[in-house]
Amino acid sequence: MKTNKALIIIYFFFIGFLFVLPLTGEKDVQAACPCNGTAGIRCRLDEDVASGDSVDCDVSVQYANNCTAYCNWYPCDGAAESGDCTISAGNDSCTVSDLDCLCYPFRVTISAEEGSVTTSCSYDGCDGWGGYPYYASGYHWVGVANPSTCTITCDYTPGCSTTKPVWSSVGSSNITANSATLDWALSSWGEECSCSGAREYETHLHSGSTCSSYLQHWSFETDSLTRSKNVTGLAADTTYSYFVWAMNKCYVSDSSTPNAFSRSSCHSFTTTGACNDSCTGYQLVDYNSDCVRNSTCGTQSTRYTGGECSVCPLNNNSCSSKYPGNTQTSGNCVIPGNMRSSLDFTISHNVTFPGSAALTVGGNLILNSGGRITAASGATVVFYIGKEIRMQGGRIDLTGGYILNQIP
């Protein structure tokens, strides 16, 4: 009977020990399930990432509870189940570190922002657990082992980033009262990423100086970096402005392509006044209604081919006269018809009159050194009473012509 009682006591003591053990020894049991260690996954490319591009390496696990499937296990201190890194321009790799070895399988994606990365890659140190590595369903499936690094090496192809046309200059030339030439230039059409099609300019003309009052526009298909447009029908003494759109092949192929077009700065210009010469504002004076006018700006004539005329510039052949005012030569010239100077006429060059011409001087006739009048038979030089012929080194050659000073 004592023996049975002793057995009963031992039995209950053993049952109690088994019941209490999990409560008092849980920490020790969990600690007995060892940390499997940490490792890394390195994403590597066969060449450096191109400027303006970047490549992402993203690591995750398929089943989050894999890390707690053994011995009520938790990752080692500081270890991770997932992570990511970026391969920036000028580099060829990056590493996701401190991954817990037990959290297999890891799935990895490697993707470029602009370029491309192949999915057929090589693996080094990525076998780990369960027959990995391989590529399937859009992921690289790999395992890792303590304390190694799994390296995935893939081929990288830089992408093409469409860039805007680059402006060099925008301006104007050959400005008259009613026309102007618009000139512009690019330094580059930009990066066109193998796009096909034409390149195009679109020029917008505005009134005023700020490119804000649209008048009309023109389009030009060309590969040239420079271009000009002659614009006619403009108003005299008026300010205009314009800008140009430059659209490269990528825009012409698909107008939604970003960065495929660029607008120039706004350029303004002002047409000339009624007369575009050095004596603007001086009107041709026709004393005897016999001037032959061969150039007219607005209501003013600026050239003549005969008649008693005071004109600026005179005959467009280096003789000039400002009316009202003195007259002077700026080069050798021939007076084809009659000429009148309201005030003094200063001659510093050779002036020739044919037989049918007459020079009428309202002031003094001044011949400087180097100045010379050659009057053919029938030519006449007339000046007013009280005025003088001042020979200051010049000369007068009369071959049958006359000098008269009897005009009161």
Side-chain angles (χ1 to χ4, degrees):
M1 188 68 180
K2 282 185 177 183
T3 301
N4 291 337
K5 187 175 182 180
L7 290 173
I8 292 172
I9 293 172
I10 292 171
Y11 173 79
F12 281 107
F13 178 81
F14 179 76
I15 294 300
F17 175 81
L18 294 177
F19 179 79
V20 174
L21 180 61
L23 299 179
T24 59
E26 181 176 345
K27 181 176 181 180
D28 293 333
V29 170
Q30 182 168 322
C33 190
C35 172
N36 201 49
T38 60
I41 295 179
R42 181 190 183 203
C43 295
R44 182 179 176 275
L45 306 175
D46 66 329
E47 62 177 277
D48 291 347
V49 174
S51 175
D53 198 4
S54 62
V55 175
D56 294 327
C57 176
D58 185 77
V59 179
S60 61
V61 291
Q62 182 180 20
Y63 306 111
N65 63 352
N66 266 23
C67 295
T68 59
Y70 302 92
C71 307
N72 198 25
W73 178 89
Y74 293 91
C76 301
D77 291 341
E81 302 175 14
S82 61
D84 59 78
C85 65
T86 299
I87 309 174
S88 57
N91 297 287
D92 67 356
S93 66
C94 71
T95 302
V96 179
S97 303
D98 299 327
L99 296 169
D100 198 290
C101 299
L102 194 60
C103 297
Y104 72 91
F106 289 98
R107 55 187 184 184
V108 182
T109 59
I110 306 174
S111 58
E113 182 177 351
E114 292 184 353
S116 61
V117 178
T118 61
T119 57
S120 179
C121 307
S122 63
Y123 305 95
D124 182 27
C126 304
D127 49 340
W129 301 72
Y132 303 104
Y134 56 82
Y135 181 85
S137 303
Y139 295 99
H140 298 279
W141 300 87
V142 299
V144 291
N146 180 36
S148 66
T149 296
C150 161
T151 299
I152 307 171
T153 302
C154 306
D155 291 340
Y156 164 77
T157 301
C160 177
S161 178
T162 302
T163 59
K164 296 180 179 181
V166 181
W167 282 100
S168 174
S169 63
V170 56
S172 55
S173 60
N174 303 321
I175 300 172
T176 69
N178 306 113
S179 65
T181 301
L182 313 182
D183 309 290
W184 63 87
L186 294 173
S187 59
S188 168
W189 278 103
E191 177 56 63
E192 296 173 302
C193 297
S194 301
C195 297
S196 61
R199 299 178 176 117
E200 185 176 329
Y201 293 113
E202 189 172 279
T203 305
H204 289 241
L205 181 68
H206 295 252
S207 61
S209 61
T210 60
C211 294
S212 58
S213 298
Y214 171 81
L215 293 176
Q216 58 182 314
H217 71 275
W218 305 270
S219 296
F220 314 93
E221 286 189 359
T222 179
D223 290 333
S224 176
L225 291 173
T226 61
R227 182 68 198 236
S228 62
K229 165 66 178 174
N230 186 47
V231 181
T232 59
L234 303 177
D237 197 23
T238 302
T239 298
Y240 295 90
S241 56
Y242 80 99
F243 64 81
V244 183
W245 285 107
M247 296 161 280
N248 68 23
K249 291 180 180 180
C250 290
Y251 181 88
V252 176
S253 299
D254 181 2
S255 60
S256 64
T257 302
N259 296 330
F261 56 93
S262 177
R263 199 188 105 162
S264 72
S265 60
C266 178
H267 173 79
S268 64
F269 62 94
T270 302
T271 55
T272 60
C275 291
N276 181 26
D277 56 42
S278 60
C279 304
T280 298
Y282 293 98
Q283 195 168 9
L284 181 147
V285 178
D286 191 349
Y287 288 95
N288 295 326
S289 300
D290 61 354
C291 291
V292 180
R293 306 182 183 192
N294 66 351
S295 178
T296 302
C297 293
T299 60
Q300 299 186 28
S301 296
T302 60
R303 301 287 185 272
Y304 92 111
T305 58
E308 283 189 349
C309 306
S310 176
V311 63
C312 168
L314 179 64
N315 199 39
N316 197 27
N317 64 357
S318 299
C319 286
S320 61
S321 173
K322 290 187 178 182
Y323 177 83
N326 298 317
T327 305
Q328 64 284 323
T329 62
S330 57
N332 297 332
C333 57
V334 176
I335 306 301
N338 299 330
M339 173 183 170
R340 180 186 182 99
S341 175
S342 297
L343 297 177
D344 292 349
F345 184 27
T346 301
I347 298 175
S348 302
H349 305 82
N350 293 328
V351 178
T352 302
F353 292 84
S356 59
L359 168 64
T360 302
V361 182
N364 300 308
L365 181 62
I366 304 169
L367 281 88
N368 287 331
S369 177
R372 178 178 179 177
I373 294 178
T374 300
S377 178
T380 305
V381 178
V382 182
F383 59 100
Y384 288 80
I385 295 175
K387 303 303 179 180
E388 301 174 346
I389 297 177
R390 298 177 183 175
M391 307 296 291
Q392 299 178 171
R395 59 184 287 185
I396 299 176
D397 294 333
L398 296 176
T399 57
Y402 301 90
I403 298 177
L404 305 175
N405 65 346
Q406 300 301 316
I407 297 179

